[in-house]
């Protein structure tokens, strides 16, 4: 159960591409690779999971407690040969001054060695004080190696290696030359999701070939192998509803909608849901189901195809109008509104929510949110207290034409949500948020939704 963290000095250093390449390269060598992503994210984990051949799990201080993080890590590492944690932003970057939610804090919590990916464009001798500074800033963090990225050629590589060898004792475990052919297309909110392109696996193969041929994989295994074994996980405790009868929940899974946390989907299954995928772009109607779940994604990139699928839009609208229990997040919320506008393009959506969606050039909501439930929330609570929820949002869109009569499930204490004050539109048995939830100890949303579906059945 060897493991390590891939981090960087700052964002946009290429650590995601390196991490994808390493997952695929080790998988090609018959290693069972378990990927993890620090923080809230859907897109990088989609790529990492496809590269590794098994789901990628998120480790996030804002939505999870330290014990939850260590338990999830140990549970998912139990049948793996190698764990690769991809950090977010820079090694020491985070929300708080004390760095309590940084990559370094996660590395400390899990006692995991760190390999820094360093963007070397325009650097030679200056790389030494950078490495020395990162080592000295927190001596409890084990920076066990560096991967030099975007190297300009053999001469540049030799200079960098000589400087590092002369001034530091850090181990250089790779030098990856610049290669535009392995870049993943970027758009608003990050990389293009792997579920949007049929060529994703071929692109991962190219990345694996390039990274694998310029990184010392055996050295990385040696570093990862020196890490202590993950702490034993506590037994998973299921909600009482897990023993009740099954319900069928249809969920959108296609090029427009693909943002689902794997542990959330597993929690839905444990709670008694049979998950039935459907394609909102090509299927003519919803499958036979008791409930509906439409997660996040980028419906704006497929807005015309979504509009042209009249049968599916009518099927979804009928299900909700007839009182079918439904839950939607972000992209799913957009799909349920009347229309979607992006620049000079406009497309009709399902039309069950009385709002029009407009895409903006700048983020309307991005980052962590904290919500407080109102008495409009359609799902039953375990107690009489109004629950506070830590979640996250990523959207460039905003809702227009709301008439002020809508019911909201949440008050926004941090973040933006629908209008800076509210989130969670409630209509009949539908709940639609901009915020993305995590099924964690403080927010058992999966169990509550399944119970809601069961109650409506």
């Amino acid at each position: 159960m060897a493991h390590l963290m891939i981090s960087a000095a700052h964002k946009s250093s290429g650590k995601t591409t390196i991490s994808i390449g390493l997952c695929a390269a080790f998988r090609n060598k018959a290693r069972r690779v378990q990927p993890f992503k620090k923080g809230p994210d859907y897109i990088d984990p989609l790529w990492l999971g496809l590269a590794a051949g098994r789901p990628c799990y998120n480790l996030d201080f804002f939505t999870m407690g330290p014990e939850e993080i260590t338990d999830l890590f140990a549970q998912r590492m139990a049948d793996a040969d190698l764990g690769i944690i991809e950090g977010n932003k820079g090694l020491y970057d985070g929300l708080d001054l004390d760095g309590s939610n940084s990559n370094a804090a996660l590395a400390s919590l899990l006692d995991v060695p760190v390999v820094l990916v360093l963007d070397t464009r325009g650097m030679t001798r200056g790389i030494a004080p950078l490495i020395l500074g990162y080592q000295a800033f927190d001596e409890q963090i084990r920076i066990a190696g560096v991967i030099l990225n975007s190297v300009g050629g053999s001469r540049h590589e030799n200079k960098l290696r000589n400087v590092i060898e002369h001034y530091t004792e850090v181990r250089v475990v790779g030098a990856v030359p610049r290669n535009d052919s392995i870049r993943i297309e970027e758009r608003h909110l990050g990389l293009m999701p792997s579920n949007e392109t049929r060529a994703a696996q071929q692109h991962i193969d190219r990345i694996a070939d390039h990274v694998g041929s310029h990184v010392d994989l055996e050295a990385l295994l040696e570093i990862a192998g020196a890490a202590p074994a993950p702490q034993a996980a506590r037994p998973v405790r299921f909600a009482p509803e897990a023993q009740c009868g099954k319900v069928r929940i249809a969920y959108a899974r296609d090029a427009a909608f693909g943002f689902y946390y794997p542990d959330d989907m597993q929690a839905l299954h444990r709670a008694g849901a049979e998950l039935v995928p459907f394609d909102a772009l090509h299927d003519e109607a919803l499958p036979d189901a008791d409930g509906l779940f439409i997660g996040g994604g980028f419906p704006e990139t497929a807005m015309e195809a979504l509009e042209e699928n009249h049968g599916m839009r009518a099927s979804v609208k009928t299900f909700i109008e007839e009182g079918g229990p439904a839950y939607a997040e972000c992209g799913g919320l957009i799909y349920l509104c009347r229309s979607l506008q992006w620049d000079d393009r406009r497309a009709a959506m399902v039309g069950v929510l009385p709002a029009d969606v407009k895409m903006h050039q700048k983020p309307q909501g991005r980052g962590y949110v904290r919500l407080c439930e109102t008495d409009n929330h359609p799902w039953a609570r375990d107690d009489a207290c109004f629950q506070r929820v830590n979640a996250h949002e990523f959207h460039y869109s905003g809702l227009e034409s709301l008439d002020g009569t809508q019911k909201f499930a949440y008050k926004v204490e941090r973040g933006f949500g629908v209008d800076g004050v509210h989130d969670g539109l409630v209509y009949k048995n539908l709940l639609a948020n901009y915020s993305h939830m995590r099924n964690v100890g403080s927010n058992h949303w999966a169990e509550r939704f399944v119970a809601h579906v069961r109650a409506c059945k």
Side-chain angles (χ1 to χ4, degrees):
M1 295 189 291
H3 51 275
L4 54 80
M5 173 184 283
I6 302 295
S7 191
H10 54 78
K11 65 178 297 185
S12 301
S13 296
K15 65 182 174 352
T16 298
T17 303
I18 297 295
S19 298
I20 292 168
L22 292 177
C23 285
F26 281 117
R27 182 188 181 190
N28 291 341
K29 291 183 175 294
R31 300 279 179 171
R32 294 173 298 176
V33 183
Q34 178 57 63
F36 299 90
K37 173 69 180 185
K38 193 267 182 186
D41 191 357
Y42 290 104
I43 300 176
D44 290 0
L46 282 171
W47 284 99
L48 292 166
L50 186 59
R54 53 198 290 164
C56 176
Y57 293 90
N58 295 68
L59 306 172
D60 177 30
F61 285 112
F62 189 74
T63 55
M64 305 169 71
E67 287 188 347
E68 284 184 282
I69 293 174
T70 56
D71 288 345
L72 177 61
F73 184 66
Q75 288 167 2
R76 297 306 166 188
M77 283 297 298
D79 64 344
D81 300 319
L82 174 64
I84 295 179
I85 306 169
E86 188 208 338
N88 65 341
K89 301 182 180 179
L91 177 61
Y92 295 112
D93 294 329
L95 291 176
D96 302 323
L97 180 64
D98 63 2
S100 58
N101 62 350
S102 65
N103 296 282
L106 181 62
S108 178
L109 175 67
L110 299 177
D111 198 8
V112 59
V114 175
V115 174
L116 276 182
V117 175
L118 300 177
D119 184 346
T120 64
R121 286 175 293 185
M123 294 189 73
T124 51
R125 192 167 179 265
I127 201 166
L130 175 64
I131 294 171
L132 292 170
Y134 269 73
Q135 287 180 314
F137 188 77
D138 186 346
E139 294 181 354
Q140 301 301 312
I141 302 302
R142 289 178 293 146
I143 299 178
V146 296
I147 295 175
L148 309 177
N149 195 30
S150 297
V151 176
S154 58
R155 184 179 178 184
H156 187 204
E157 178 184 342
N158 289 335
K159 286 183 178 180
L160 291 168
R161 286 183 179 273
N162 289 337
V163 167
I164 293 170
E165 181 179 352
H166 181 76
Y167 288 102
T168 82
E169 296 180 354
V170 74
R171 188 175 184 180
V172 178
V173 294
V176 182
R178 287 196 292 268
N179 185 346
D180 290 340
S181 71
I182 67 169
R183 292 180 64 248
I184 300 173
E185 180 182 339
E186 293 195 34
R187 64 156 73 102
H188 54 284
L189 294 180
L191 303 178
M192 174 188 287
S194 61
N195 62 305
E196 286 191 26
T197 172
R198 295 180 180 179
Q201 187 58 60
Q202 292 92 325
H203 196 66
I204 287 172
D205 292 340
R206 286 195 297 272
I207 297 173
D209 288 342
H210 186 65
V211 172
S213 61
H214 293 94
V215 173
D216 188 340
L217 300 181
E218 292 303 316
L220 285 181
L221 286 177
E222 182 182 334
I223 290 171
Q231 296 180 13
R234 295 171 297 180
V236 177
R237 293 180 174 86
F238 302 131
E241 291 84 4
Q243 305 303 319
C244 298
K246 289 281 186 180
V247 295
R248 286 169 58 88
I249 296 179
Y251 74 102
R253 187 180 67 185
D254 47 52
F257 306 105
F259 291 176
Y260 303 99
Y261 287 121
D263 37 349
D264 284 11
M265 303 302 277
Q266 292 155 9
L268 288 168
H269 177 75
R270 289 197 305 268
E274 177 188 352
L275 300 173
V276 185
F278 70 92
D279 187 330
L281 300 172
H282 302 104
D283 291 348
E284 295 181 358
L286 288 174
D288 181 36
D290 306 304
L292 173 63
F293 179 22
I294 308 177
F298 291 119
E300 63 271 21
T301 65
M303 55 193 292
E304 288 84 4
L306 290 170
E307 179 183 47
E308 290 169 5
N309 194 344
H310 299 278
M312 179 57 73
R313 288 196 289 124
S315 180
V316 170
K317 186 171 184 178
T318 297
F319 181 88
I320 295 173
E321 292 288 2
E322 292 182 350
Y327 176 54
E329 290 185 347
C330 200
L333 179 155
I334 292 172
Y335 180 55
L336 297 178
C337 290
R338 285 187 299 244
S339 67
L340 171 58
Q341 180 182 346
W342 193 7
D343 294 331
D344 58 352
R345 301 155 55 205
R346 182 184 292 272
M349 296 288 105
V350 170
V352 77
L353 291 175
D356 299 294
V357 183
K358 183 176 181 180
M359 297 296 299
H360 297 270
Q361 295 297 316
K362 295 182 179 180
Q364 302 302 292
R366 183 172 187 172
Y368 288 124
V369 300
R370 183 171 289 112
L371 309 172
C372 181
E373 288 186 13
T374 72
D375 55 9
N376 293 321
H377 200 293
W379 303 346
R381 283 187 290 270
D382 295 333
D383 52 47
C385 297
F386 291 122
Q387 182 173 339
R388 278 180 165 76
V389 175
N390 285 352
H392 62 94
E393 62 182 340
F394 298 85
H395 57 100
Y396 274 65
S397 66
L399 301 189
E400 299 183 340
S401 307
L402 288 170
D403 60 16
T405 64
Q406 288 73 36
K407 295 180 179 179
F408 292 96
Y410 302 106
K411 292 181 180 178
V412 176
E413 296 182 348
R414 174 197 171 113
F416 189 81
V418 168
D419 58 5
V421 180
H422 309 95
D423 200 5
L425 284 161
V426 178
Y427 176 71
K428 296 189 175 181
N429 284 313
L430 164 68
L431 171 60
N433 318 321
Y434 260 126
S435 297
H436 297 280
M437 301 294 167
R438 287 289 309 277
N439 195 78
V440 292
S442 60
N443 182 21
H444 293 287
W445 79 260
E447 291 87 344
R448 293 178 66 192
F449 179 50
V450 172
H452 177 63
V453 173
R454 189 175 287 117
C456 293
K457 188 175 178 180

